């Protein structure tokens, strides 16, 4: 007899720590530009705005290749496709260490986005193959905790690597890219050997366990509309389009804050290493929020409050950080804002998989993520522009607060439009 919780726990211990480590590597490689910037701007003779434009080109490549990448994942399997993603983005990250000018920086950042495209929504799609819908919010939260760990580790790591300036004739900002790119290449090889594409391919599951999971997921999928498994029809599904619009404000605020936070803290007059250590604090709070909020949401009938309330708290804290002059209070509110920005996102991501399956889930999740991540492109251009225009490192927080609050309002509106995205078999879950 299969005990459901024991089986879910078995899958979780096998799958989630490994996927989380991959995400940790991905997030560090995505955010390393925020620390490299502190020295790289001067070394290449770039303005803050020009650097921000180059950094943001990551999201253009990401946007263009996200949906095709996820559809290819569905075709080739997670182990092969994730391995390709990891090795290619690791190689491009290392190449960034040898950037000679702004044009080369722009090209490599675009290529980095193209190489990494499909990883995050690919994991979200993978979770639909391994977990019944009731568990997905918590699992997305556990997975995203590693983004907080990445920021917590990446911050002191970035500061220490910058302080290696001159070691073996290599600049500190070059060490940032070299030291963070190599682990991705190694992880790609490990992924090919370790990760099972589907439960049917998993050597750690018994035949009875595979059968139980297959039957459980089949019952959930039986309640979905026929087009929910079609990759191309999912792209024009009104619910997918609405959720894409809703999501933009979340990565905009997340990337805007994580990209700019080291610059704000540097303005307090601290060293690179101290800057990195201080930047651990907000991500510890984010990790706690990413566990607590989705776990509470999975037990609740209505999901909307667990998306909207954290976002509004984050927006308020961003505003307070910009209007209170005391550096300690500014930092405290920025820490709380970070937790608010991230806490509701796993709950948000548990919703699309309730009305999408198969290739439709792969395409739909990728579409929502690719459109939403254009917020990162906007943030990394507008934030340095505001700083260059106002001369203030804290003024951009008003812009991030507005966008995050708007996202919360849109979630409320779309929640009313979508009504009940859950399947008939999951009738207790509402938006």
């Amino acid at each position: 007899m299969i005990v459901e919780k024991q089986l879910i726990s078995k899958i979780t211990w096998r799958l989630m720590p490994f996927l989380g480590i991959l995400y940790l590597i991905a997030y560090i490689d995505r955010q390393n530009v925020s620390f490299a910037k502190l020295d790289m701007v001067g070394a290449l003779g770039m303005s803050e705005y020009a650097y921000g434009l180059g950094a943001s080109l990551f999201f253009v490549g990401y946007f263009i290749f996200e949906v095709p990448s996820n559809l290819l994942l569905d075709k080739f399997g997670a182990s092969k496709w994730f391995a390709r993603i990891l090795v290619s983005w690791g190689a491009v990250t290392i190449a960034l260490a040898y950037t000679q000018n702004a044009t080369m920086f722009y090209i490599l950042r675009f290529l980095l986005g193209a190489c990494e495209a499909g990883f995050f929504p690919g994991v979200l799609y993978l979770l639909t193959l391994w977990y019944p819908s009731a568990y997905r919010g918590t699992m997305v939260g556990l997975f995203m905790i590693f983004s907080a760990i990445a920021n917590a580790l990446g911050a002191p790591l970035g500061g220490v690597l910058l302080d290696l300036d001159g070691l073996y004739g290599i600049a500190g900002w070059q060490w940032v890219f070299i030291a963070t790119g190599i682990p991705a290449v190694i992880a790609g090889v490990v992924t090919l050997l370790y990760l099972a594409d589907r439960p049917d391919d998993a050597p750690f599951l018994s035949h009875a366990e595979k059968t139980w999971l297959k039957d459980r997921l089949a019952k959930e999928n039986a309640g979905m509309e026929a087009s929910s498994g079609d990759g191309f029809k999912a792209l024009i599904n009104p619910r997918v389009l609405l959720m894409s619009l809703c999501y933009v404000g979340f990565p905009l605020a997340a990337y805007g804050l994580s990209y700019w936070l080291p610059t704000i803290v540097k303005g307090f007059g601290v060293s690179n290493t101290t800057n990195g250590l201080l930047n651990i604090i907000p991500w510890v709070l984010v990790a706690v929020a990413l566990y607590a909020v989705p776990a509470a949401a999975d037990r609740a009938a209505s999901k909307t409050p667990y998306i909207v309330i954290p976002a509004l708290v984050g927006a308020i804290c961003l505003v307070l950080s910009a209007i209170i002059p005391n550096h300690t209070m500014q930092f405290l509110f920025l820490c709380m804002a970070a937790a608010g920005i991230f806490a509701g996102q796993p709950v948000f991501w548990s919703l699309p998989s309730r009305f999408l399956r198969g290739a439709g889930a792969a395409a739909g999740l990728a579409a929502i993520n690719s459109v939403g991540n254009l917020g990162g492109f906007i943030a990394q251009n507008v934030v340095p522009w505001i700083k260059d225009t106002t001369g203030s490192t804290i003024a951009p927080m008003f812009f991030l607060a507005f966008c995050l609050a708007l996202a919360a309002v849109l979630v409320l509106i779309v929640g009313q439009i979508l009504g009940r995205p859950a399947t008939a078999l999951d009738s207790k879950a509402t938006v």
Side-chain angles (χ1 to χ4, degrees):
M1 180 179 177
I2 302 300
V3 179
E4 179 176 334
K5 290 192 177 298
Q6 289 181 358
L7 175 57
I8 296 300
S9 178
K10 183 179 183 180
I11 294 171
T12 300
W13 279 108
R14 172 77 181 196
L15 204 62
M16 297 312 298
F18 183 73
L19 292 175
I21 290 171
L22 298 186
Y23 194 40
L24 183 150
I25 295 170
Y27 220 84
I28 289 177
D29 283 357
R30 190 182 296 188
Q31 293 297 93
N32 53 20
V33 291
S34 64
F35 267 89
K37 176 179 80 71
L38 301 179
D39 287 350
M40 193 176 180
V41 168
L44 298 182
M46 299 171 65
S47 68
E48 292 279 5
Y49 177 75
Y51 189 87
L53 172 63
S56 70
L57 289 176
F58 169 93
F59 298 100
V60 177
Y62 200 86
F63 173 75
I64 294 172
F65 292 99
E66 182 91 320
V67 173
S69 178
N70 236 33
L71 290 174
L72 288 170
L73 182 148
D74 183 55
K75 179 179 180 180
F76 291 111
S79 60
K80 297 182 185 67
W81 198 245
F82 281 170
R84 193 282 305 163
I85 289 174
L86 284 154
V87 171
S88 62
W89 100 49
V92 173
T93 299
I94 295 169
L96 277 163
Y98 302 95
T99 302
Q100 300 297 312
N101 50 52
T103 301
M104 186 175 177
F105 179 58
Y106 294 167
I107 293 171
L108 288 173
R109 282 295 291 180
F110 175 85
L111 288 176
L112 184 65
C115 290
E116 192 186 319
F119 176 70
F120 181 80
V123 171
L124 297 180
Y125 169 58
L126 199 63
L127 296 182
T128 70
L129 305 179
W130 288 87
Y131 289 99
S133 60
Y135 297 95
R136 290 174 196 157
T138 299
M139 294 306 143
V140 176
L142 289 175
F143 174 66
M144 290 186 67
I145 283 175
F146 284 85
S147 68
I149 297 173
N151 277 297
L153 292 177
L157 177 63
V160 170
L161 291 173
L162 279 178
D163 285 339
L164 293 180
D165 187 48
L167 182 65
Y168 301 118
I170 299 174
W173 65 268
Q174 292 178 299
W175 277 116
V176 171
F177 292 121
I178 294 170
T180 57
I182 292 174
V185 176
I186 297 172
V189 177
V190 175
T191 297
L192 190 61
L193 302 174
Y194 180 86
L195 189 63
D197 293 333
R198 296 172 180 270
D200 285 345
D201 305 321
F204 65 93
L205 294 180
S206 67
H207 177 73
E209 290 170 332
K210 294 176 183 178
T211 301
W212 182 92
L213 187 60
K214 184 177 181 179
D215 291 344
R216 172 68 178 272
L217 294 174
K219 288 179 182 178
E220 291 189 352
N221 291 338
M224 297 182 182
E225 58 192 74
S227 64
S228 66
D230 188 305
F232 293 102
K233 287 184 179 179
L235 297 178
I236 56 173
N237 185 316
R239 288 181 286 189
V240 170
L241 297 175
L242 286 169
M243 296 200 76
S244 299
L245 179 64
C246 279
Y247 186 56
V248 172
F250 291 99
L252 191 155
Y255 286 117
L257 182 59
S258 59
Y259 168 78
W260 200 246
L261 191 57
T263 301
I264 294 174
V265 175
K266 185 178 181 180
F268 297 165
V270 300
S271 69
N272 286 332
T273 300
T274 301
N275 191 347
L277 292 172
L278 285 173
N279 269 271
I280 295 174
I281 299 172
W283 305 113
V284 171
L285 293 181
V286 168
V288 173
L290 281 171
Y291 176 78
V293 173
D298 276 348
R299 297 191 296 268
S302 177
K303 310 300 180 186
T304 302
Y306 295 91
I307 306 171
V308 173
I309 293 175
L312 292 177
V313 170
I316 292 169
C317 289
L318 286 170
V319 171
L320 291 173
S321 74
I323 62 177
I324 295 177
N326 180 272
H327 288 335
T328 301
M329 294 303 297
Q330 282 181 344
F331 185 70
L332 175 62
F333 283 121
L334 288 171
C335 292
M336 295 171 62
I341 291 168
F342 281 88
Q345 291 188 45
V347 187
F348 179 93
W349 281 117
S350 70
L351 301 179
S353 60
R354 295 181 186 275
F355 59 86
L356 295 170
R357 60 181 170 83
L365 291 167
I368 294 169
N369 193 56
S370 64
V371 172
N373 271 278
L374 288 177
F377 176 83
I378 296 169
Q380 292 189 350
N381 280 281
V382 174
V383 167
W385 176 80
I386 293 173
K387 188 267 180 183
D388 286 345
T389 302
T390 64
S392 169
T393 57
I394 199 69
M397 297 305 103
F398 286 115
F399 170 68
L400 300 184
F402 171 78
C403 294
L404 185 60
L406 181 61
V409 173
L410 287 173
V411 169
L412 284 173
I413 295 172
V414 171
Q416 295 300 315
I417 295 173
L418 297 183
R420 298 172 65 86
T423 66
L425 290 171
D426 194 21
S427 58
K428 291 184 178 181
T430 60
V431 174

